[in-house]
Amino acid sequence: MSNNIPVLNIPKYHADELIGRVHSIESFGTVDGPGTRFVVFLQGCLFRCKYCHNRDTWDLDGGELYTVTDMVEQILPYAKFMDASGGGVTVTGGEPVLQAAYVGLLFQKLKEHGIHTCLDTNGYVGVYNEETNKMIEQSDLIMVDIKHIDDKKHHQLVGVSNHRTLRFAQHLADIDKKARVRYVVVPGYSDDLDDVHGLAQFLAPMSNVENLELLPYHNLGTHKWKALGLEYPLEGLQPPPKEKMDDIQAVFESYGIKTIR
């Protein structure tokens, strides 16, 4: 598969001034990591999640180009507000690991200003090289979105294998990197309790995982699919009932995994 994976079209750069392809920014985020956060949504993703609420981030040639210096200048005016809330900067997407070098340098510059850094990723890392390792090293916290523990069902839900994601999560555990896990409960896809047990058994030995954030499926991104002239794959699907979320939370907690909603 590696020879056929598309790549982002980003102009050449020199070592001190990388360029990133950015979908959008949010200066007052409250759901993507601790405290109040400046959230950078990078452009481009290789997953094809049926429930994606940022469908417009998939295009590898979309977005706007920002140098690291441009982005740091955008962020610094908010530093005091972020610091007062215990927050910082989160880079998400799209998928940030597609621009690992940019994320690594951006986080390095932000940490020089004492700003907390958080990477929100699906963990689809193909090669662990200098750029990838720097991105991980410069992240104070990494949130890993595990879509499904079963590879076949993962492929049905998001279009690719889960092998890279699980390897990434295991890598973070092996190096004792502070992490959180996100799990979206999609009725009919990721709400089977046997699968939940499987994921819990995978995560239970990982002492680096602070908690698991259990998220109910929602259809708030439907309008973005329609704006692009696309059919929403899960049209008509309703969020999971509270009782199902309670059952899934109980499974994770039975393995000693702190679970939040």
Side-chain angles (χ1 to χ4, degrees):
M1 182 174 181
S2 60
N3 292 333
N4 298 319
I5 294 178
V7 297
L8 285 159
N9 177 23
I10 296 176
K12 292 183 179 179
Y13 52 78
H14 59 83
D16 295 327
E17 188 54 289
L18 302 186
I19 297 172
R21 191 170 283 278
V22 178
H23 173 269
S24 58
I25 58 177
E26 180 181 351
S27 59
F28 196 77
T30 57
V31 297
D32 292 305
T36 301
R37 308 197 71 82
F38 191 104
V39 184
V40 181
F41 296 85
L42 294 185
Q43 184 71 32
C45 187
L46 301 180
F47 275 32
R48 296 295 179 259
C49 300
K50 293 180 183 296
Y51 57 89
C52 182
H53 60 275
N54 288 322
R55 175 61 182 85
D56 49 340
T57 65
W58 290 7
D59 182 8
L60 299 179
D61 295 319
E64 297 183 27
L65 300 178
Y66 280 76
T67 66
V68 168
T69 298
D70 289 338
M71 188 57 70
V72 171
E73 289 177 350
Q74 291 277 333
I75 292 169
L76 286 183
Y78 300 92
K80 290 184 179 178
F81 301 101
M82 294 185 291
D83 185 57
S85 70
V89 173
T90 295
V91 174
T92 181
E95 178 41 55
V97 301
L98 299 181
Q99 304 184 61
Y102 182 79
V103 177
L105 184 59
L106 174 62
F107 279 3
Q108 177 187 328
K109 298 297 183 185
L110 292 175
K111 288 170 70 67
E112 290 172 0
H113 291 278
I115 296 175
H116 181 273
T117 60
C118 175
L119 174 67
D120 180 21
T121 175
N122 61 32
Y124 199 65
V125 175
V127 178
Y128 289 80
N129 55 22
E130 182 178 351
E131 294 178 350
T132 307
N133 292 335
K134 180 175 180 178
M135 175 186 68
I136 295 172
E137 178 185 341
Q138 296 296 330
S139 300
D140 291 316
L141 172 67
I142 297 181
M143 298 193 298
V144 186
D145 193 355
I146 299 181
K147 314 290 187 182
H148 212 294
I149 191 64
D150 182 278
D151 189 45
K152 183 178 180 180
K153 295 177 180 178
H154 188 277
H155 203 285
Q156 292 171 343
L157 184 60
V158 308
V160 300
S161 169
N162 66 6
H163 290 175
R164 290 185 178 182
T165 298
L166 298 185
R167 183 179 63 172
F168 183 76
Q170 186 61 58
H171 175 68
L172 297 183
D174 292 343
I175 63 174
D176 197 28
K177 187 71 181 182
K178 183 184 295 186
R180 297 180 180 181
V181 172
R182 289 178 142 181
Y183 186 66
V184 180
V185 178
V186 185
Y189 289 89
S190 58
D191 61 345
D192 185 286
L193 293 185
D194 287 340
D195 294 324
V196 176
H197 276 283
L199 178 57
Q201 290 166 4
F202 175 70
L203 295 174
M206 298 181 177
S207 59
N208 65 309
V209 176
E210 288 187 333
N211 59 47
L212 180 142
E213 186 175 3
L214 198 58
L215 302 166
Y217 159 80
H218 64 71
N219 57 10
L220 299 179
T222 305
H223 69 284
K224 294 184 179 180
W225 291 73
K226 294 181 177 179
L228 294 169
L230 301 171
E231 181 179 349
Y232 182 61
L234 301 181
E235 187 69 49
L237 186 66
Q238 297 299 310
K242 177 182 180 299
E243 292 75 14
K244 173 61 75 173
M245 297 294 290
D246 290 344
D247 290 344
I248 292 175
Q249 180 172 357
V251 171
F252 283 120
E253 291 180 341
S254 72
Y255 288 85
I257 299 170
K258 182 180 179 182
T259 305
I260 61 174
R261 286 158 62 177

